[in-house]
């Protein structure tokens, strides 16, 4: 029996587990999927916006893998700090696949970024997704004007949540404290700002169009900013996604606002130069940019201040080092060759990576499937050597002996039941529990 630990229960981790139990080359493979959190699914649970029910339904696919008879979910298992350093895991399993994602956000690197009122979009997403590391009262939303720096899908998500009426979110699983804060929100203007042009924006057309479907918000676009993009007048040479984005934005630029209570301002060719304020952020200073003829932009020396009492930066994610594993600081990934972890440029027996910690924060959820398959192919090619190495006969017993108290699948099912009960008590559908103590209490409650 080849025993494998997969660290991380998000899409990349579950796809790796799926590839391991579905392959035929090594029929006897047992997989333990370890996660720091007591709940599975990673960013599908804690990163997908609550109003994106179709994407969240991917949990059903991941669930089927985690319920496979040769897969075992073990939540509340923190890998990295003692006692579960990577070397210790190699004494319990023949192979370990690290699928730990990119856990932090990139910085703007401008003066004033640390002012109160300035956050990462990751913090905001964690708050409305009920991540137990995020304080339930993190966002009071007393701001009138919010600036979202970035023009990717995450930026669109946070802008949409800020502009969407709370009653529209009531049927979702958004935590109750967050729903109350959104209901009391005073935000009337949301500015989503990119340093380059519309043809280079990273959002998908589907996400972009959702902004235009909000019943309580006008979408405002500056036609003169769109016109700075060389591809604006004739987008036919763009890839299909870029062409559709430009066409949607061009249509919005021609529309008259309808006087709705909230406004979403889509701005381009502006890069943040500083966050302004004393004691709290009050505005963001942007420098006007212009195409440099090489696919990038250059500053023009012209500046514009946009009022903001809330600033959310959404300029990308970055991997963080896991104690005991090598780390490439420049790329924010674990050095690897086809998923094999490299120590000093040499493959480390039994250690593998998949997902963002392997390739960087690129692609969509589905991109993780071929990425995981490549890693598993490398692992299977090494299987004969790996299986010959002695490991603990019962890894779960060894984890418990080391003081780890895993939340198993039955514990997760209890959390699900507790969230359904909470939703019923609040007159809603299932409502997420956002607190570590309550999650662990629900997981360990007697049936």
């Amino acid at each position: 029996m080849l025993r494998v630990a997969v660290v991380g229960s998000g899409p990349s981790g579950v796809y790796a587990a799926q590839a391991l139990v579905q392959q035929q080359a090594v029929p006897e493979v047992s997989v333990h999927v370890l996660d720091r959190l007591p709940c599975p699914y990673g960013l599908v649970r804690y990163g997908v916006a609550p109003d994106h029910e179709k994407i969240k339904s991917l949990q059903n696919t991941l669930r089927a893998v985690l319920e496979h008879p040769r897969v075992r979910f073990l939540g509340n298992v923190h890998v990295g700090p003692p006692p579960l350093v990577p070397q210790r895991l190699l004494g319990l399993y023949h192979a370990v696949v690290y699928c730990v994602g990119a856990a932090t956000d990139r910085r703007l690197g401008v003066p004033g970024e640390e002012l109160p009122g300035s956050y990462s979009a990751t913090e905001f997403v964690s708050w409305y997704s009920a991540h137990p590391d995020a304080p339930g009262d993190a966002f009071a939303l007393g701001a009138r004007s919010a600036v979202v720096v970035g023009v990717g899908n995450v930026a669109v998500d946070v802008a949409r949540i800020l502009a969407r009426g709370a009653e529209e979110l009531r049927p979702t699983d958004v935590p109750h404290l967050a729903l109350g804060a959104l209901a009391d929100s005073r935000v009337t203007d949301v500015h989503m700002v990119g340093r380059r042009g519309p043809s280079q924006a990273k959002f998908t057309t589907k996400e972009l169009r959702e902004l235009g479907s909000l019943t309580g918000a006008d979408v405002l676009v500056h036609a003169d900013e769109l016109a700075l993009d060389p591809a604006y007048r004739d987008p036919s040479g763009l890839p299909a996604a870029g062409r559709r984005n430009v066409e949607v934005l061009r249509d919005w630029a021609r529309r008259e606002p309808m006087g709705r209570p909230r406004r979403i301002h889509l701005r381009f060719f502006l890069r943040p130069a500083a966050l302004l304020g004393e004691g709290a952020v009050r505005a963001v200073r942007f420098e006007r940019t212009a195409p440099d003829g090489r696919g990038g932009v250059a500053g023009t020396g012209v500046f514009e201040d946009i009022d903001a009492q809330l600033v959310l930066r959404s300029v990308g994610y970055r991997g963080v080092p896991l104690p005991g594993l090598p780390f490439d600081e420049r790329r924010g990934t674990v050095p690897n060759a086809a998923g094999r972890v490299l120590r000093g440029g040499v493959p480390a027996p039994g250690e593998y990576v998949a997902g963002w910690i392997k390739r960087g924060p690129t692609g969509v959820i589905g991109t993780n499937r071929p990425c995981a398959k490549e890693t598993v192919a490398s692992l299977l090619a090494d299987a004969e050597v790996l299986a010959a190495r002695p490991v603990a006969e019962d890894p779960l017993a060894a984890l418990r002996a080391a003081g780890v108290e895993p939340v198993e699948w039955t514990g997760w099912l209890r959390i699900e039941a507790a969230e359904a009960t909470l939703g019923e008590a609040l007159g809603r559908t299932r409502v997420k529990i956002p607190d570590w103590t309550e999650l662990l209490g629900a997981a360990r409650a007697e049936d």
Side-chain angles (χ1 to χ4, degrees):
M1 174 74 74
L2 184 70
R3 294 190 175 93
V4 180
V6 173
V7 181
S9 66
S12 62
V14 177
Y15 289 148
Q18 182 181 48
L20 282 163
V21 296
Q22 286 185 346
Q23 54 78 36
Q24 303 296 320
V26 184
E28 291 200 357
V29 179
S30 169
V31 183
H32 284 183
V33 178
L34 315 180
D35 203 294
R36 183 178 72 87
L37 298 172
C39 308
Y41 311 137
L43 281 179
V44 178
R45 177 175 166 92
Y46 289 118
V48 175
D51 56 348
H52 275 179
E53 291 296 331
K54 186 174 182 180
I55 302 175
K56 289 171 75 68
S57 69
L58 176 63
Q59 291 184 14
N60 297 327
T61 302
L62 304 183
R63 174 188 290 269
V65 177
L66 294 173
E67 290 180 334
H68 189 281
R70 285 189 281 120
V71 177
R72 195 165 191 171
F73 171 73
L74 300 175
N76 194 40
V77 178
H78 197 176
V79 174
L84 282 188
V85 295
Q87 195 59 37
R88 173 65 172 141
L89 275 186
L90 284 177
L92 304 181
Y93 300 93
H94 294 110
V96 183
V97 184
Y98 293 93
C99 305
V100 293
T104 192
D105 59 279
R106 295 186 182 277
R107 310 285 292 177
L108 297 177
V110 301
E113 191 169 6
E114 303 301 329
L115 281 169
S118 169
Y119 303 89
S120 70
T122 305
E123 292 173 286
F124 189 66
V125 170
S126 293
W127 171 72
Y128 69 60
S129 298
H131 195 293
D133 289 344
D137 58 355
F139 292 88
L141 301 183
R144 295 282 187 184
S145 177
V147 164
V148 181
V149 181
V151 283
N153 279 346
V154 174
V156 174
D157 278 349
V158 299
R160 187 181 68 256
I161 294 297
L162 282 168
R164 187 183 283 284
E167 279 307 305
E168 295 179 80
L169 292 171
R170 187 175 175 81
T172 74
D173 62 4
V174 67
H176 212 57
L177 276 178
L179 184 68
L182 290 164
D184 294 337
S185 171
R186 299 173 63 193
V187 174
T188 57
D189 290 87
V190 181
H191 306 262
M192 193 170 76
V193 187
R195 65 185 177 88
R196 296 195 291 178
S199 68
Q200 297 166 313
K202 299 298 184 183
F203 45 62
T204 61
T205 309
K206 180 178 181 298
E207 289 258 2
L208 178 65
R209 282 178 175 148
E210 284 186 86
L211 296 179
S213 69
L214 299 179
T215 57
D218 286 329
V219 180
L220 307 178
V221 183
H222 292 221
D224 56 334
E225 289 182 347
L226 300 184
L228 293 173
D229 193 320
Y232 173 66
R233 299 190 190 286
D234 181 14
S236 60
L238 293 173
R243 183 174 67 253
R244 289 192 295 266
N245 286 344
V246 169
E247 289 168 352
V248 170
L249 291 165
R250 180 163 32 189
D251 179 53
W252 285 347
R254 289 193 291 258
R255 293 184 186 178
E256 290 294 325
M258 299 180 68
R260 290 167 174 158
R262 294 188 179 93
R263 293 166 292 279
I264 300 173
H265 308 258
L266 299 182
R267 304 294 306 275
F268 298 95
F269 292 110
L270 292 169
R271 69 182 177 196
L275 273 62
L276 309 177
E278 294 182 8
V281 66
R282 63 170 178 80
V284 183
R285 177 160 293 166
F286 289 93
E287 182 182 15
R288 170 67 63 193
T289 62
D292 63 6
R294 300 185 299 275
V297 293
T300 64
V302 176
F303 294 88
E304 175 183 344
D305 294 351
I306 297 178
D307 288 344
Q309 300 81 48
L310 173 66
V311 178
L312 301 172
R313 63 182 180 276
S314 181
V315 291
Y317 294 96
R318 178 176 171 79
V320 297
L322 188 72
L325 280 185
F327 190 72
D328 183 335
E329 287 286 351
R330 185 180 63 83
R331 298 186 66 237
T333 59
V334 171
N336 72 92
R340 292 182 178 93
V341 172
L342 300 178
R343 292 182 179 272
V346 178
E351 295 182 311
Y352 303 85
V353 285
W356 280 2
I357 199 65
K358 169 188 173 183
R359 68 181 192 274
T362 61
V364 294
I365 290 175
T367 311
N368 291 294
R369 191 186 293 272
C371 173
K373 284 185 175 180
E374 179 191 54
T375 294
V376 168
S378 295
L379 189 159
L380 295 173
D382 303 338
E384 186 175 352
V385 173
L386 297 174
R389 189 169 56 80
V391 296
E393 199 166 308
D394 186 345
L396 181 53
L399 288 172
R400 287 180 171 141
V404 178
E405 298 181 21
V407 170
E408 297 190 61
W409 190 251
T410 52
W412 160 240
L413 295 180
R414 291 189 189 104
I415 291 172
E416 280 194 313
E419 292 184 336
T421 300
L422 175 62
E424 185 178 358
L426 294 171
R428 298 174 55 196
T429 55
R430 178 182 167 199
V431 173
K432 282 182 183 174
I433 296 172
D435 177 80
W436 269 103
T437 301
E438 289 185 45
L439 286 170
L440 293 176
R444 292 171 180 146
E446 295 295 329
D447 292 328

